[in-house]
Amino acid sequence: MTNFSILRRGIYAIWLREIMRSFRDRGQLIGGVSRPIIWLLILGIGLNPYFRGEAYGEVRFVIPFTYLQFLFPAVIVLNIMYTSILFAVSMIWDREFGFLREVLVSPLPRWAILLGKILGGSTVATMHGFLVLILARFADVTLGWDQAAIALGLMFLLSFGLTSFGVILAARVRSFEGFGVFSNTIILPLYFCSSSVFPLDPSLTRTQMAATYPEWLVLLVQINPITYAVDALRGVLINYNQFDPLLGPGIIAAGAVLFFTIALVDFKRQ
């Protein structure tokens, strides 16, 4: 058996373990389905008339989509964020109960072990994103096969980067309770400051935008990498981009490489 075959089988075994573990966790599956439905039903349908100005006859944001359609890609990103970052709890679990120690003494190099785990987490997070994608019809989002394939590719790349980010956090926060609290304090601000629930009008100058929103909020949205992930998915799913269409995929790919590299450095120290 060649070295490549050993590496491939080792990465596959670790990947498969993470997939099987997630399928056995019913709570995770229920959360993956119920979370987007609640967001779409309550926030999407509830705020839809206010967003378009239909209730008061005043259009505040000139976009050719309903709020439900606008929110739909952002809910996919939210589902991926939760699943990807919270996947790192399994790293803490494996470390606490000795499984990680047993794997680390195997002949597999550490980068292959980490890659298998992150690929497993990324696959699970992409599946949770897919659970939202199949609700597209109910959000009045029409998808072709090519759009769905591109969206899945972006979702997997985003999941890979965020899972790596979660592993970085898990290397610094050692307890289950601490990780749960700390991860939520990161996920929610990142999400709400990502143009996910309100748009920055790209036709406005920075001065005009600052007059519409507080300048600090505009700055937070513009430097937030999740902003560009949401924008990239909106471009694919509803053909609407607030920024350069190439910017989103570029930032998602760069983030995946950067976070995996940092996670690998941390993992080698364990």
Side-chain angles (χ1 to χ4, degrees), residues 128-164:
H128 281 214
F130 180 73
L131 290 175
V132 186
L133 199 62
I134 60 179
L135 299 175
R137 182 180 173 188
F138 300 101
D140 204 20
V141 174
T142 306
L143 287 181
W145 288 108
D146 54 340
Q147 287 174 290
I150 295 171
L152 282 171
L154 286 173
M155 287 156 56
F156 183 80
L157 202 55
L158 176 64
S159 303
F160 189 89
L162 289 173
T163 305
S164 302

Side-chain angles (χ1 to χ4, degrees), residues 34-47 68 71 75:
S34 61
R35 185 167 48 233
I37 290 176
I38 290 171
W39 274 80
L40 289 174
L41 281 179
I42 297 178
L43 206 59
I45 295 176
L47 293 180
L68 190 57
L71 186 67
V75 173

Side-chain angles (χ1 to χ4, degrees), residues 166-185:
V167 171
I168 295 170
L169 294 182
R172 290 159 174 77
V173 182
R174 296 271 169 172
S175 70
F176 296 106
E177 297 81 3
F179 184 84
V181 172
F182 191 65
S183 58
N184 272 310
T185 60

